[in-house]
Amino acid sequence: MKKKIVGLVLFGAAAAMMTAGVSAEDLIKVGYAQVGHESDWRTANTQNYQDVFSEENGYELSLVDCDNDNAAQIEAVRNFKDQDLDYIVIAPIQSAGWDTVLQEVQDAGIPVIIADREIEADESLYDAWVGTNTYNEGVTAGNWLAEQLDGAEANILQIEGSVGASAAIGRTNGFAEVMADHSEWKLLDSQSGDFTQDGGQTVMESFIKSYEGQFNVVICQNDNEAYGAMDAMDAAGITYGVGGDVILISYDATHDGLQYTLDGKFNLDVECNPIQAEVVKGVIEKMVAGEEFDKNTLVTDEAFNAPGITSEFATEMTQEILDGRAY
Ligand code: GYE
């Protein structure tokens, strides 16, 4: 046992020496065109990339916060190409409009990994994709609602994510797929809150003006929008969550979202895992080594509901689950 520990210490020291010996030219240069800083999910995702693509791990990361500006993101990718970085990772703000710049990057011979969201482009224009299945997340929300309502009527308000983002499109379409089987459900309105807390609050305030007393389900396509919607409902004296007038469903399952789920303020939080950088690094390592890699890697998610709710589609939230979260 003692020997083993000594061995580990020596290995650690050797690894540190090796790291110290890595010159700047040896670092693998990765550009990450990040969406922005619109949500807690995004903050966790950025932090995860900074932790994983560290100099210690052999990388020089250029992370550009594109502030949810599609044109700025395309420009960032073009700059990465001009700087001749080794690998380019893109979390696409919009799903459309990528063909030209991807072709330019391909012509320059730089491998591209699409991460987090999806794009509407031919698969030949990028090398790999790593992300979550937001369509399935929408289906999960729908299935859970159907199970819980068990035939009762639903008058639904939906606050969508950013217009044109695959995460919003997927969640909207997945939920709509389930809704199509429920004539007792009515979607009163569905508007974009841009994946932000302010956006969620503004949309909810206007929903309350138009539909007060008429709705019993609110679906927010991320946790931050749900925090804004809660503020708007609090101000209007509308109760939500377990025992409330309104069933509140959210997506992301970031730390605070899960705390609200544990507290019974969210009925359901459908997870979307932001911890994806290690998977992207794995793909890049295979590319560096000239090994085969998966074209598409799905980061899996689950769903969590408030304590006391039994569901085939979600896990009951506990303090233990919350304590075990890394973000
Ligand atoms: O749900 C939201 C973020 O693309 C899956 O973007 C991601 C979404 C996430 O702003 O909070």
Side-chain angles (χ1 to χ4, degrees):
M1 189 65 193
K2 197 167 182 221
K3 222 176 170 185
K4 236 185 186 170
I5 292 169
V6 170
L8 275 176
V9 169
L10 281 178
F11 175 75
M17 275 165 63
M18 275 169 64
T19 310
V22 169
S23 69
E25 298 99 77
D26 294 334
L27 296 173
I28 298 168
K29 295 183 179 61
V30 173
Y32 185 29
Q34 173 63 296
V35 170
H37 50 273
E38 70 285 0
S39 65
D40 294 358
W41 190 101
R42 190 63 54 197
T43 305
N45 180 259
T46 293
Q47 185 63 55
N48 178 228
Y49 272 84
Q50 284 165 342
D51 291 347
V52 169
F53 288 98
S54 62
E55 288 195 9
E56 218 173 37
N57 287 342
Y59 292 91
E60 185 184 310
L61 177 69
S62 307
L63 189 144
V64 176
D65 176 333
C66 301
D67 202 16
N68 221 12
D69 179 339
N70 183 45
Q73 187 171 44
I74 289 172
E75 232 10 72
V77 172
R78 213 162 256 140
N79 284 337
F80 290 156
K81 181 205 68 180
D82 292 344
Q83 291 161 43
D84 200 23
L85 300 188
D86 299 316
Y87 296 90
I88 296 177
V89 183
I90 307 169
I93 295 167
Q94 298 273 308
S95 58
W98 286 98
D99 292 25
T100 308
V101 72
L102 288 183
Q103 188 61 63
E104 289 170 24
V105 173
Q106 191 168 74
D107 292 346
I110 303 173
V112 168
I113 298 164
I114 305 295
D116 162 23
R117 297 179 181 171
E118 290 164 61
I119 56 170
E120 291 163 28
D122 197 88
E123 279 210 359
S124 65
L125 283 173
Y126 55 90
D127 298 271
W129 175 86
V130 172
T132 55
N133 188 330
T134 53
Y135 181 89
N136 279 355
E137 292 166 14
V139 170
T140 299
N143 284 338
W144 180 92
L145 187 63
E147 170 196 52
Q148 298 300 317
L149 288 176
D150 196 21
E153 274 184 23
N155 288 298
I156 305 166
L157 290 170
Q158 182 170 251
I159 305 181
E160 294 179 29
S162 303
V163 176
S166 73
I169 298 167
R171 288 169 189 164
T172 301
N173 291 346
F175 184 78
E177 169 83 28
V178 179
M179 193 164 57
D181 292 333
H182 292 275
S183 54
E184 76 282 15
W185 294 6
K186 193 170 167 203
L187 185 63
L188 296 174
D189 213 335
S190 190
Q191 302 283 339
S192 169
D194 218 9
F195 280 136
T196 65
Q197 177 160 350
D198 276 359
Q201 182 167 349
T202 306
V203 172
M204 196 65 224
E205 282 165 358
S206 96
F207 278 169
I208 291 169
K209 277 195 193 118
S210 308
Y211 306 103
E212 186 149 20
Q214 296 170 46
F215 62 92
N216 63 342
V217 177
V218 170
I219 303 173
C220 300
Q221 286 185 352
N222 82 347
D223 284 343
N224 292 81
E225 290 182 340
Y227 309 152
M230 285 160 70
D231 286 343
M233 287 192 278
D234 285 341
I238 297 165
T239 59
Y240 48 83
V242 176
D245 296 334
V246 171
I247 293 175
L248 181 57
I249 297 176
S250 183
Y251 295 87
D252 274 1
T254 51
H255 182 276
D256 292 0
L258 288 181
Q259 178 71 63
Y260 283 123
T261 310
L262 184 63
D263 295 345
K265 293 288 186 189
F266 287 7
N267 299 73
L268 173 73
D269 205 355
V270 181
E271 188 189 30
C272 180
N273 195 340
I275 306 304
Q276 303 180 1
E278 197 67 55
V279 182
V280 173
K281 179 167 157 273
V283 173
I284 290 179
E285 274 165 1
K286 290 203 165 149
M287 288 175 169
V288 171
E291 288 168 18
E292 266 188 41
F293 55 88
D294 291 329
K295 177 95 187 183
N296 297 300
T297 309
L298 190 64
V299 177
T300 51
D301 308 312
E302 34 179 336
F304 301 93
N305 62 200
I309 302 174
T310 315
S311 171
E312 190 189 318
F313 304 102
T315 303
E316 238 180 293
M317 197 53 205
T318 63
Q319 185 65 50
E320 206 184 336
I321 294 173
L322 190 62
D323 291 344
R325 303 294 280 193
Y327 56 93

